[in-house]
Amino acid sequence: MKPIIAIVGRPNVGKSTFFNRITGTRGALVDDFPGVTRDRIHADVTWEDASFTLVDTGGFLKEDRDEFSALVQDQIYQAVQDADMIVLVLDGKAGVSPFDMDLVEMLRSVRKPIFYAVNKIDGPDHEENLYEFFDLGIEKPYPVSAEHGYGIGDFMDDLGAAISAFGPQTMIDAPRESIGVAVLGRPNVGKSSLINRILGRPRLIVSDLPGTTRDAVDTLCEFNGRSYLLIDTAGIRRKSRVTQRLEKFSVIKALRSLDRCDVALVVLDSGAGVTEQDIKIAGYAHDRGCGAVFLFNKWDMVQERKHTLKRYMEQLRMEAKFLSFAPALEVSAVTGQGVMKIFQLVDEVYRQYAFRLGTGELNRILAQAVERTEPSLFRGKRLKFYYATQVSAKPPTIVCFVNYPEGVHFSYKRYLINQVRAETGLNQTPVRMVFRRRERDARRTAHGAGHKAQGLRRKGARRTT
Ligand code: GDP
Ligand code: GDP
């Protein structure tokens, strides 16, 4: 389990520039489907031996840039509550603002590692801008330039050391064969009602397991001889009426539970339909590569059911194309409708998610696919697919060795994945495909010589004759 580090600070101090500098990514996340772009607000980073997940809290609400707005303050406060470590970014050009003082004051009571990065110190001759930040009473302000990279190395070395000292989060072992299920959704869609309804069933054995050494508590339940670990759900189950109204969606909590789950249940409110935030939440599940099931809860309130389902499904398939493989189900936590079917869907999604495909079959499928529709030329050269193998499950991940990995167009990749799906019935799980240059080709490119390679396409063709 990687620690989650939240970048906080008032608007315009350079949080997203800082995020991009450290993660090496550009602003937007481009999915396999053109037209679907979202702001990238989280990324996994490895710096020397330290691995962590970095979250740009500024990215949560790009549109609201008024630093004193309640939204901005809430969002900072919540990130500080939920993350394992905090980086407060300050603006070395603008100097200390009253809001910075409030933030630092708030952080004083937090028992988590906190780093103070004074940004926009673009070189040694700007370092004098650092001095006024000592007035904030912070121990070690780091001078950095997110835009130009100044000071970032030193900062990251210290952050990395803190992460190593932080140590791995120890987890109590859940039964190995249990299926990890995360329940996600906007506040008030009915997550806690649904979980309580599920757990209220007879024939279901329930116990609490500490999820991590931190505040998360999982619920283990058994049903029809299988065990399921409902991740980080104890808190949702027991939430009081008072906290309910104050509850906000926490991206950090969602990322944390997605990191540990096999299948995410993305709960929607049938009364509200498919909202933008539902799609964002589904996007986090997609980014984490887990299986997913959409649940249209509060179905008891829907009038024209057939018509509504059709409309919602169309909307979902359009707006959450990236999860087009995820099944959807209408449920009601109040009447219990559909609730037990959730497990059937989870079982099937999990079966596919953990599926291992034989190398022979995989190569036969790909050879056929390549033969049926050849890839377009890459810089005038033919692409050759030599060999493919599934390197891991959860989700099924396939590595294809080709002569020009960079020459495989995303639409061709999608075609190949769809062929694998069609031939294997893996239609409800994410499937990853990665293209790599074959060792021999890499060497040959380096030496500029070699004889013609035997392609996957040719092999497959020969086998069928
Ligand atoms: P955020 O609102 O905190 O995410 O801030 P942004 O990352 O969007 O940056 C706000 C502005 O500060 C942009 O115009 C950036 O180009 C600028 N900026 C960010 N980092 C630096 C830096 O290191 N030096 C300078 N001079 N400008 C920076
Ligand atoms: P959470 O914030 O996602 O955990 O949502 P809650 O479980 O607290 O539910 C929010 C509100 O929706 C409560 O008033 C519930 O009684 C109501 N609710 C939850 N599920 C259903 C449902 O299936 N049908 C109806 N009609 N109301 C529901």
Side-chain angles (χ1 to χ4, degrees):
M1 281 260 299
K2 303 183 191 81
I4 296 183
I5 302 184
I7 304 174
V8 302
R10 56 196 175 81
N12 287 317
V13 293
K15 294 183 296 300
S16 82
T17 312
F18 187 83
F19 174 87
N20 291 344
R21 163 71 54 184
I22 288 171
T23 60
T25 57
R26 296 268 177 80
L29 191 145
V30 184
D31 282 303
D32 278 0
F33 294 89
V36 183
T37 58
R38 290 174 285 121
D39 276 336
R40 182 191 279 279
I41 58 156
H42 62 98
D44 290 336
V45 182
T46 302
W47 184 271
E48 319 253 275
D49 297 333
S51 292
F52 57 95
T53 300
L54 192 66
V55 178
D56 171 18
T57 63
F60 298 173
L61 11 111
K62 267 288 171 218
E63 57 289 342
D64 193 338
R65 302 189 70 87
D66 171 11
E67 64 192 56
F68 296 106
S69 85
L71 262 181
V72 169
Q73 304 201 27
D74 274 4
Q75 157 250 319
I76 294 175
Y77 185 71
Q78 197 180 16
V80 168
Q81 299 275 304
D82 297 340
D84 298 309
M85 290 191 196
I86 316 294
V87 177
L88 174 64
V89 179
L90 299 153
D91 189 332
K93 229 163 152 186
V96 174
S97 96
F99 189 37
D100 293 337
M101 294 182 196
D102 293 347
L103 283 180
V104 170
E105 192 54 45
M106 187 256 282
L107 289 173
R108 246 187 263 288
S109 60
V110 175
R111 287 227 187 90
K112 292 176 184 175
I114 297 166
F115 284 79
Y116 300 90
V118 180
N119 190 32
K120 309 192 188 180
I121 307 277
D122 292 337
D125 41 338
H126 290 99
E127 289 241 2
E128 61 194 44
N129 292 354
L130 191 65
Y131 301 140
E132 66 172 295
F133 289 89
F134 284 101
D135 293 344
L136 287 171
I138 54 187
E139 226 170 81
K140 187 164 185 188
Y142 288 84
V144 298
S145 170
E147 203 148 271
H148 306 285
Y150 180 76
I152 294 287
D154 290 348
F155 174 83
M156 286 304 291
D157 286 343
D158 284 5
L159 185 73
I163 291 168
S164 305
F166 187 77
Q169 298 188 8
T170 48
M171 257 192 283
I172 307 289
D173 276 345
R176 201 181 292 149
E177 68 284 4
S178 69
I179 301 175
V181 178
V183 183
L184 303 181
R186 294 184 293 118
N188 280 317
V189 292
K191 295 179 297 296
S192 78
S193 309
L194 213 46
I195 291 165
N196 284 316
R197 166 60 80 161
I198 290 171
L199 298 178
R201 305 293 295 199
R203 287 182 295 127
L204 201 108
I205 307 157
V206 178
S207 56
D208 285 350
L209 276 187
T212 63
T213 48
R214 274 154 245 304
D215 51 0
V217 178
D218 301 336
T219 312
L220 184 69
C221 63
E222 264 176 46
F223 179 69
N224 276 351
R226 282 200 100 136
S227 70
Y228 304 84
L229 194 66
L230 302 180
I231 292 166
D232 288 0
T233 43
I236 307 181
R237 260 165 61 206
R238 293 202 205 92
K239 77 174 180 194
S240 68
R241 291 282 143 195
V242 187
T243 56
Q244 185 168 311
R245 273 203 221 116
L246 304 174
E247 194 201 315
K248 296 210 170 54
F249 179 74
S250 162
V251 178
I252 292 174
K253 277 191 188 141
L255 291 174
R256 208 191 282 288
S257 58
L258 284 169
D259 230 14
R260 297 166 53 218
C261 85
D262 299 304
V263 181
L265 301 179
V266 182
V267 185
L268 295 89
D269 179 340
S270 304
V274 181
T275 72
E276 200 181 320
Q277 208 189 352
D278 297 324
I279 300 297
K280 266 197 194 152
I281 292 170
Y284 301 131
H286 168 262
D287 297 344
R288 285 321 208 187
C290 46
V293 174
F294 288 105
L295 298 178
F296 287 112
N297 188 36
K298 309 195 189 179
W299 199 249
D300 55 287
M301 304 217 299
V302 172
Q303 299 293 328
E304 290 194 48
R305 297 194 168 178
K306 213 167 149 190
H307 174 71
T308 306
L309 184 63
K310 188 163 169 272
R311 191 160 50 90
Y312 284 179
M313 286 308 290
E314 279 169 2
Q315 208 181 341
L316 197 59
R317 292 310 180 214
M318 181 112 85
E319 284 165 34
K321 271 194 191 124
F322 48 84
L323 281 183
S324 56
F325 51 80
L329 180 69
E330 323 86 85
V331 297
S332 166
V334 165
T335 67
Q337 182 200 342
V339 168
M340 281 301 110
K341 275 200 207 137
I342 298 172
F343 285 112
Q344 290 170 18
L345 285 183
V346 167
D347 287 350
E348 176 56 16
V349 170
Y350 180 76
R351 187 190 68 78
Q352 297 191 15
Y353 179 72
F355 195 78
R356 285 196 175 267
L357 191 60
T359 301
E361 194 192 355
L362 176 63
N363 282 281
R364 182 188 58 75
I365 294 168
L366 289 177
Q368 254 175 21
V370 171
E371 184 144 284
R372 200 171 304 141
T373 307
E374 289 208 19
S376 42
L377 298 180
F378 171 64
R379 298 202 187 119
K381 297 204 187 78
R382 260 184 47 203
L383 282 178
K384 286 195 204 102
F385 290 80
Y386 299 111
Y387 175 79
T389 183
Q390 182 178 341
V391 290
S392 58
K394 299 188 181 184
T397 302
I398 295 163
V399 171
C400 283
F401 291 94
V402 289
N403 51 352
Y404 301 107
E406 68 280 23
V408 185
H409 196 259
F410 74 83
S411 60
Y412 197 73
K413 170 177 166 179
R414 195 165 61 194
Y415 160 73
L416 291 179
I417 291 178
N418 285 338
Q419 291 298 307
V420 171
R421 288 184 182 286
E423 294 284 323
T424 57
L426 292 178
N427 58 349
Q428 297 192 342
T429 173
V431 173
R432 285 186 172 153
M433 197 176 272
V434 184
F435 299 97
R436 295 237 174 90
R437 187 181 299 272
R438 198 173 53 165
E439 274 297 301
R440 226 195 307 163
D441 285 336
R443 276 203 302 274
R444 185 178 328 124
T445 313
H447 298 118
H451 52 256
K452 208 173 172 214
Q454 180 81 39
L456 175 67
R457 184 180 157 274
R458 190 107 33 89
K459 255 197 260 170
R462 199 174 42 195
R463 202 171 296 157
T464 52
T465 52

mmCIF file of all heavy atoms in Angstrom, residues 20-40:
data_model
loop_
_atom_site.group_PDB
_atom_site.id
_atom_site.type_symbol
_atom_site.label_atom_id
_atom_site.label_comp_id
_atom_site.label_asym_id
_atom_site.label_seq_id
_atom_site.Cartn_x
_atom_site.Cartn_y
_atom_site.Cartn_z
ATOM 1 N N ASN A 20 2.545 18.315 -11.934
ATOM 2 C CA ASN A 20 3.052 17.887 -13.246
ATOM 3 C C ASN A 20 4.567 17.697 -13.225
ATOM 4 O O ASN A 20 5.095 16.787 -13.841
ATOM 5 C CB ASN A 20 2.688 18.907 -14.323
ATOM 6 C CG ASN A 20 1.197 18.913 -14.598
ATOM 7 O OD1 ASN A 20 0.493 17.982 -14.213
ATOM 8 N ND2 ASN A 20 0.720 19.953 -15.247
ATOM 9 N N ARG A 21 5.236 18.573 -12.524
ATOM 10 C CA ARG A 21 6.692 18.484 -12.437
ATOM 11 C C ARG A 21 7.094 17.150 -11.788
ATOM 12 O O ARG A 21 7.988 16.465 -12.246
ATOM 13 C CB ARG A 21 7.213 19.680 -11.627
ATOM 14 C CG ARG A 21 8.607 19.588 -11.081
ATOM 15 C CD ARG A 21 9.706 19.673 -12.113
ATOM 16 N NE ARG A 21 9.636 20.841 -12.983
ATOM 17 C CZ ARG A 21 10.464 21.044 -14.006
ATOM 18 N NH1 ARG A 21 11.430 20.172 -14.271
ATOM 19 N NH2 ARG A 21 10.341 22.114 -14.754
ATOM 20 N N ILE A 22 6.403 16.772 -10.734
ATOM 21 C CA ILE A 22 6.803 15.576 -9.996
ATOM 22 C C ILE A 22 6.327 14.295 -10.674
ATOM 23 O O ILE A 22 7.007 13.280 -10.670
ATOM 24 C CB ILE A 22 6.307 15.670 -8.532
ATOM 25 C CG1 ILE A 22 7.164 16.730 -7.832
ATOM 26 C CG2 ILE A 22 6.427 14.339 -7.817
ATOM 27 C CD1 ILE A 22 6.710 17.106 -6.485
ATOM 28 N N THR A 23 5.163 14.344 -11.280
ATOM 29 C CA THR A 23 4.658 13.120 -11.908
ATOM 30 C C THR A 23 5.113 13.012 -13.360
ATOM 31 O O THR A 23 4.951 11.963 -13.972
ATOM 32 C CB THR A 23 3.122 13.082 -11.888
ATOM 33 O OG1 THR A 23 2.626 14.220 -12.604
ATOM 34 C CG2 THR A 23 2.590 13.137 -10.470
ATOM 35 N N GLY A 24 5.649 14.116 -13.875
ATOM 36 C CA GLY A 24 6.099 14.075 -15.261
ATOM 37 C C GLY A 24 4.976 13.949 -16.260
ATOM 38 O O GLY A 24 5.158 13.490 -17.373
ATOM 39 N N THR A 25 3.769 14.319 -15.852
ATOM 40 C CA THR A 25 2.646 14.212 -16.773
ATOM 41 C C THR A 25 2.154 15.588 -17.188
ATOM 42 O O THR A 25 2.383 16.569 -16.501
ATOM 43 C CB THR A 25 1.446 13.487 -16.136
ATOM 44 O OG1 THR A 25 1.088 14.184 -14.954
ATOM 45 C CG2 THR A 25 1.778 12.065 -15.837
ATOM 46 N N ARG A 26 1.459 15.623 -18.247
ATOM 47 C CA ARG A 26 0.795 16.840 -18.693
ATOM 48 C C ARG A 26 -0.523 16.970 -17.966
ATOM 49 O O ARG A 26 -0.951 16.062 -17.272
ATOM 50 C CB ARG A 26 0.542 16.765 -20.184
ATOM 51 C CG ARG A 26 1.790 16.708 -20.980
ATOM 52 C CD ARG A 26 2.222 18.127 -21.366
ATOM 53 N NE ARG A 26 3.484 18.112 -22.083
ATOM 54 C CZ ARG A 26 3.590 17.831 -23.363
ATOM 55 N NH1 ARG A 26 2.509 17.547 -24.038
ATOM 56 N NH2 ARG A 26 4.756 17.839 -23.941
ATOM 57 N N GLY A 27 -1.179 18.074 -18.187
ATOM 58 C CA GLY A 27 -2.413 18.362 -17.468
ATOM 59 C C GLY A 27 -3.552 17.380 -17.656
ATOM 60 O O GLY A 27 -4.202 16.984 -16.708
ATOM 61 N N ALA A 28 -3.785 16.965 -18.866
ATOM 62 C CA ALA A 28 -5.005 16.186 -19.089
ATOM 63 C C ALA A 28 -4.726 14.704 -19.246
ATOM 64 O O ALA A 28 -3.649 14.300 -19.664
ATOM 65 C CB ALA A 28 -5.720 16.699 -20.331
ATOM 66 N N LEU A 29 -5.687 13.944 -18.895
ATOM 67 C CA LEU A 29 -5.589 12.504 -19.004
ATOM 68 C C LEU A 29 -6.397 12.098 -20.223
ATOM 69 O O LEU A 29 -7.586 12.367 -20.308
ATOM 70 C CB LEU A 29 -6.196 11.920 -17.737
ATOM 71 C CG LEU A 29 -6.027 10.460 -17.428
ATOM 72 C CD1 LEU A 29 -5.891 10.336 -15.922
ATOM 73 C CD2 LEU A 29 -7.204 9.680 -17.899
ATOM 74 N N VAL A 30 -5.735 11.510 -21.161
ATOM 75 C CA VAL A 30 -6.427 11.162 -22.394
ATOM 76 C C VAL A 30 -6.733 9.675 -22.386
ATOM 77 O O VAL A 30 -5.848 8.852 -22.277
ATOM 78 C CB VAL A 30 -5.559 11.502 -23.621
ATOM 79 C CG1 VAL A 30 -6.321 11.225 -24.902
ATOM 80 C CG2 VAL A 30 -5.133 12.951 -23.565
ATOM 81 N N ASP A 31 -7.976 9.364 -22.469
ATOM 82 C CA ASP A 31 -8.364 7.960 -22.466
ATOM 83 C C ASP A 31 -8.216 7.378 -23.855
ATOM 84 O O ASP A 31 -7.940 8.077 -24.817
ATOM 85 C CB ASP A 31 -9.797 7.818 -22.001
ATOM 86 C CG ASP A 31 -9.883 7.934 -20.506
ATOM 87 O OD1 ASP A 31 -9.220 7.161 -19.812
ATOM 88 O OD2 ASP A 31 -10.603 8.824 -20.038
ATOM 89 N N ASP A 32 -8.425 6.090 -23.924
ATOM 90 C CA ASP A 32 -8.341 5.419 -25.212
ATOM 91 C C ASP A 32 -9.383 5.932 -26.181
ATOM 92 O O ASP A 32 -9.286 5.741 -27.373
ATOM 93 C CB ASP A 32 -8.556 3.923 -25.028
ATOM 94 C CG ASP A 32 -7.273 3.268 -24.583
ATOM 95 O OD1 ASP A 32 -6.275 4.001 -24.436
ATOM 96 O OD2 ASP A 32 -7.251 2.071 -24.401
ATOM 97 N N PHE A 33 -10.411 6.561 -25.636
ATOM 98 C CA PHE A 33 -11.472 7.045 -26.499
ATOM 99 C C PHE A 33 -11.301 8.533 -26.724
ATOM 100 O O PHE A 33 -11.268 9.300 -25.774
ATOM 101 C CB PHE A 33 -12.832 6.755 -25.863
ATOM 102 C CG PHE A 33 -13.103 5.300 -25.768
ATOM 103 C CD1 PHE A 33 -12.713 4.580 -24.661
ATOM 104 C CD2 PHE A 33 -13.721 4.636 -26.804
ATOM 105 C CE1 PHE A 33 -12.938 3.220 -24.585
ATOM 106 C CE2 PHE A 33 -13.947 3.284 -26.738
ATOM 107 C CZ PHE A 33 -13.563 2.565 -25.624
ATOM 108 N N PRO A 34 -11.184 8.922 -27.963
ATOM 109 C CA PRO A 34 -10.984 10.338 -28.240
ATOM 110 C C PRO A 34 -12.161 11.150 -27.707
ATOM 111 O O PRO A 34 -13.288 10.676 -27.706
ATOM 112 C CB PRO A 34 -10.925 10.415 -29.766
ATOM 113 C CG PRO A 34 -11.203 9.064 -30.289
ATOM 114 C CD PRO A 34 -11.277 8.097 -29.170
ATOM 115 N N GLY A 35 -11.873 12.311 -27.267
ATOM 116 C CA GLY A 35 -12.956 13.158 -26.784
ATOM 117 C C GLY A 35 -13.192 13.026 -25.293
ATOM 118 O O GLY A 35 -13.804 13.866 -24.675
ATOM 119 N N VAL A 36 -12.685 11.936 -24.703
ATOM 120 C CA VAL A 36 -12.860 11.778 -23.265
ATOM 121 C C VAL A 36 -11.587 12.221 -22.567
ATOM 122 O O VAL A 36 -10.613 11.496 -22.492
ATOM 123 C CB VAL A 36 -13.152 10.306 -22.893
ATOM 124 C CG1 VAL A 36 -13.413 10.172 -21.402
ATOM 125 C CG2 VAL A 36 -14.335 9.799 -23.685
ATOM 126 N N THR A 37 -11.590 13.432 -22.094
ATOM 127 C CA THR A 37 -10.426 13.885 -21.336
ATOM 128 C C THR A 37 -10.899 14.412 -19.996
ATOM 129 O O THR A 37 -11.961 14.984 -19.880
ATOM 130 C CB THR A 37 -9.665 15.019 -22.052
ATOM 131 O OG1 THR A 37 -10.576 16.089 -22.260
ATOM 132 C CG2 THR A 37 -9.093 14.576 -23.364
ATOM 133 N N ARG A 38 -10.096 14.142 -19.009
ATOM 134 C CA ARG A 38 -10.401 14.659 -17.684
ATOM 135 C C ARG A 38 -9.108 15.224 -17.127
ATOM 136 O O ARG A 38 -8.040 14.858 -17.581
ATOM 137 C CB ARG A 38 -10.882 13.514 -16.785
ATOM 138 C CG ARG A 38 -12.239 12.982 -17.159
ATOM 139 C CD ARG A 38 -12.592 11.763 -16.343
ATOM 140 N NE ARG A 38 -11.866 10.595 -16.770
ATOM 141 C CZ ARG A 38 -11.066 9.877 -16.021
ATOM 142 N NH1 ARG A 38 -10.869 10.213 -14.764
ATOM 143 N NH2 ARG A 38 -10.431 8.837 -16.488
ATOM 144 N N ASP A 39 -9.227 16.089 -16.155
ATOM 145 C CA ASP A 39 -8.006 16.576 -15.529
ATOM 146 C C ASP A 39 -7.373 15.439 -14.758
ATOM 147 O O ASP A 39 -8.054 14.714 -14.041
ATOM 148 C CB ASP A 39 -8.329 17.724 -14.566
ATOM 149 C CG ASP A 39 -8.423 19.039 -15.302
ATOM 150 O OD1 ASP A 39 -7.815 19.143 -16.381
ATOM 151 O OD2 ASP A 39 -9.107 19.939 -14.805
ATOM 152 N N ARG A 40 -6.096 15.305 -14.929
ATOM 153 C CA ARG A 40 -5.411 14.292 -14.134
ATOM 154 C C ARG A 40 -5.118 14.902 -12.770
ATOM 155 O O ARG A 40 -4.456 15.925 -12.680
ATOM 156 C CB ARG A 40 -4.100 13.885 -14.806
ATOM 157 C CG ARG A 40 -3.367 12.806 -14.057
ATOM 158 C CD ARG A 40 -1.984 12.636 -14.615
ATOM 159 N NE ARG A 40 -1.981 11.806 -15.817
ATOM 160 C CZ ARG A 40 -2.019 10.480 -15.786
ATOM 161 N NH1 ARG A 40 -2.093 9.850 -14.637
ATOM 162 N NH2 ARG A 40 -1.982 9.791 -16.894
#
